[in-house]
Amino acid sequence: MLSTHSIQVIKSTVPVLEIHGVTITKRFYELLFSNHPELLNIFNHANQKQGKQQTALANAVYAAALHIDNLTAIIPVVKQIGHKHRSLGVKPEHYPVVGKYLLMAIKEVLGDAATEEIMSAWAEAYGIIADAFISIEKEMYEETRSQAGGWDGFRAFRIDRVVKESEVISSFYLVPEDNGAIASFLPGQYVSVKIKKEGAEYTQIRQYSLSDASGKPYYRISVKREDAYQERSEGAVSTYLHQCAQEGTTLMLSAPAGDFVLDTADERPVVLISGGVGLTPMISMLNTLTEQFPSRQVTFIHAAQHGGLHAMRAQVNALAEQHPQLSVHYCYAQPTEEDRQHRHFHKEGYIDLAWLQSVIPDANASYYFCGPTPFMAVINESLQQWGIPKADIHFEFFGPAASLQPVASS
């Protein structure tokens, strides 16, 4: 337990973290990677360049300080991050290294304001928080290792086939090279894919949602090719998969992970809402529902720019024809003439509350959504305006956790 005095000292630093949190975490990563460049084999380089990881860590540190007198309040966040850490291969020995440079960054950024008393309290707090992560992740590693078809670390999978789903999304069907069993997963979970491009100094790891129901002899991931745009570089792993990977290519995968999962015990209607490539975990949920829970009412809503960027439309339409409990609705921001001619969509423009209320037959449902952060912010706000309870609203960020609402620490 953290001492009462340390709790008071930590909480006194909350206003400072609101102002300097991102500056501290930016300096932390500079110190970490300059002294331990081998950790670049684990961290997402693109998220570092875009500042997403720094902001996510700043928000996590801020939340820890804010709730330091009741750390159980942040256990859900610890578990969410723990899933990613297990998927990436973060181990207990990494935590003292992280703690060293995080404290060093706090001291550098705050200068004389970081008194010995404050640094001592943060060192004590970090030790307790790190122990919580280590304990939770230990259970995750053991559970993954012990389940049927489970494994430690990264395992070699072969691309069995590649299916082009849209102009920018392709599905990759992956089978284990050792021909052994593969672990089951919950609809909505992801796998980490590790590659090392020819001539590259470090490996790259990216997490991709599994886009089919569990129980198949393969894993399927459906990946959007992330092209360079303005100041954003092209996606190192997604472009490799689209341009270089083919049938027979070997990929290294960690076992499925993630806490954004369908609640299969809930018998109420379910609403799945996606934007762009955010449909991948929704397809896993949809396939699971139609295969295993055919009596459950499902509303599937997808937003895309136009038909050329709408992946898996034919598969979803086929499911709707086979399952009367499933209704599908598409919203295109910029439909083409072909889209209009063939009636590929149901709404032009963007999803709004009025349209959601018109296509969702029963507001008393579980809601799951995923897509670009601005898209999810609109969906989240619409559902809140509708009066949907927070407990019925579930969403997933692709990448470091952000916020769907303005927060002081951002």
Side-chain angles (χ1 to χ4, degrees):
M1 294 292 292
L2 198 60
S3 68
T4 301
H5 179 68
S6 292
I7 288 174
Q8 293 172 345
V9 172
I10 294 294
K11 290 186 79 70
S12 74
T13 65
V14 168
V16 177
L17 294 175
E18 284 187 293
I19 300 171
H20 299 291
V22 174
T23 304
I24 291 170
T25 54
K26 181 179 180 181
R27 182 57 181 151
F28 156 71
Y29 282 116
E30 291 172 351
L31 290 168
L32 180 68
F33 294 139
S34 64
N35 288 278
H36 291 273
E38 73 278 3
L39 292 178
L40 287 167
N41 288 307
I42 296 178
F43 285 84
N44 185 314
H45 306 182
N47 289 336
Q48 290 292 321
K49 290 180 181 179
Q50 296 170 26
K52 293 180 179 179
Q53 194 69 57
Q54 293 90 328
T55 300
L57 178 58
N59 289 339
V61 172
Y62 174 82
L66 191 63
H67 300 286
I68 198 68
D69 52 348
N70 180 27
L71 286 176
T72 56
I74 65 169
I75 289 299
V77 176
V78 173
K79 288 184 176 179
Q80 182 183 59
I81 297 174
H83 274 283
K84 292 190 175 183
H85 283 179
R86 200 281 297 158
S87 181
L88 293 169
V90 173
K91 297 295 177 66
E93 55 265 30
H94 292 132
Y95 282 92
V97 176
V98 168
K100 174 182 177 180
Y101 294 105
L102 180 59
L103 293 173
M104 191 179 295
I106 292 174
K107 180 64 177 176
E108 282 193 23
V109 172
L110 299 187
D112 293 340
T115 64
E116 183 176 340
E117 182 183 46
I118 286 176
M119 296 309 301
S120 176
W122 265 107
E124 184 182 355
Y126 177 82
I128 291 174
I129 294 170
D131 286 344
F133 273 100
I134 291 170
S135 176
I136 287 173
E137 289 163 17
K138 179 182 178 182
E139 293 178 5
M140 291 178 176
Y141 276 107
E142 291 175 349
E143 182 180 351
T144 300
R145 186 187 309 115
S146 63
Q147 69 175 309
W151 69 92
D152 262 333
F154 286 81
R155 181 179 175 187
F157 278 70
R158 182 182 71 256
I159 297 177
D160 187 56
R161 61 188 171 110
V162 181
V163 176
K164 188 174 178 63
E165 306 286 7
S166 76
E167 293 176 7
V168 295
I169 296 175
S170 289
S171 288
F172 299 84
Y173 291 74
L174 310 171
V175 296
E177 286 196 341
D178 60 15
N179 296 317
I182 57 176
S184 62
F185 60 90
L186 299 174
Q189 290 192 305
Y190 55 79
V191 291
S192 283
V193 177
K194 179 168 68 173
I195 68 165
K196 188 172 185 181
K197 301 173 76 172
E198 187 175 352
E201 186 174 2
Y202 302 107
T203 58
Q204 297 268 5
I205 303 177
R206 296 293 185 273
Q207 291 157 334
Y208 295 111
S209 297
L210 292 156
S211 61
D212 204 347
S214 186
K216 309 293 194 299
Y218 57 80
Y219 289 146
R220 184 177 75 178
I221 57 174
S222 301
V223 180
K224 178 187 176 186
R225 186 187 69 244
E226 297 291 351
D227 299 320
Y229 179 72
Q230 296 180 348
E231 297 181 357
R232 186 190 69 197
S233 302
E234 67 178 23
V237 179
S238 69
T239 53
Y240 169 82
L241 291 173
H242 277 263
Q243 298 172 4
C244 304
Q246 54 190 323
E247 292 182 10
T249 297
T250 297
L251 301 176
M252 303 302 295
L253 267 65
S254 64
D259 65 343
F260 174 66
V261 296
L262 178 70
D263 182 358
T264 55
D266 188 346
E267 298 180 352
R268 293 178 303 158
V270 59
V271 180
L272 308 176
I273 309 174
S274 55
V277 75
L279 94 167
T280 52
M282 301 303 153
I283 293 293
S284 177
M285 294 182 185
L286 177 62
N287 288 354
T288 301
L289 287 161
T290 54
E291 290 176 16
Q292 302 177 23
F293 304 92
S295 63
R296 192 169 175 185
Q297 181 72 39
V298 181
T299 303
F300 184 90
I301 300 169
H302 182 64
Q305 285 296 306
H306 54 74
L309 298 178
H310 183 176
M312 302 181 179
R313 181 178 59 220
Q315 297 96 305
V316 173
N317 287 346
L319 286 175
E321 291 179 1
Q322 299 165 14
H323 299 275
Q325 82 280 11
L326 167 63
S327 63
V328 299
H329 310 274
Y330 306 134
C331 179
Y332 286 2
Q334 298 175 325
T336 64
E337 287 306 313
E338 181 182 356
D339 293 331
R340 298 182 195 280
Q341 181 181 352
H342 296 283
R343 299 181 179 178
H344 285 161
F345 62 100
H346 304 91
K347 183 186 189 305
E348 181 173 351
Y350 299 96
I351 294 176
D352 55 35
L353 176 56
W355 187 64
L356 287 175
Q357 291 174 323
S358 73
V359 299
I360 297 173
D362 187 353
N364 181 22
S366 289
Y367 295 78
Y368 299 82
F369 57 92
C370 186
T373 301
F375 166 86
M376 294 204 298
V378 170
I379 301 302
N380 189 52
E381 183 180 8
S382 296
L383 296 179
Q384 289 182 346
Q385 288 180 358
W386 197 2
I388 304 302
K390 186 177 181 180
D392 290 337
I393 299 176
H394 315 276
F395 53 87
E396 170 87 323
F397 289 99
F398 282 168
S403 174
L404 297 185
Q405 296 176 340
V407 293
S409 57
S410 63

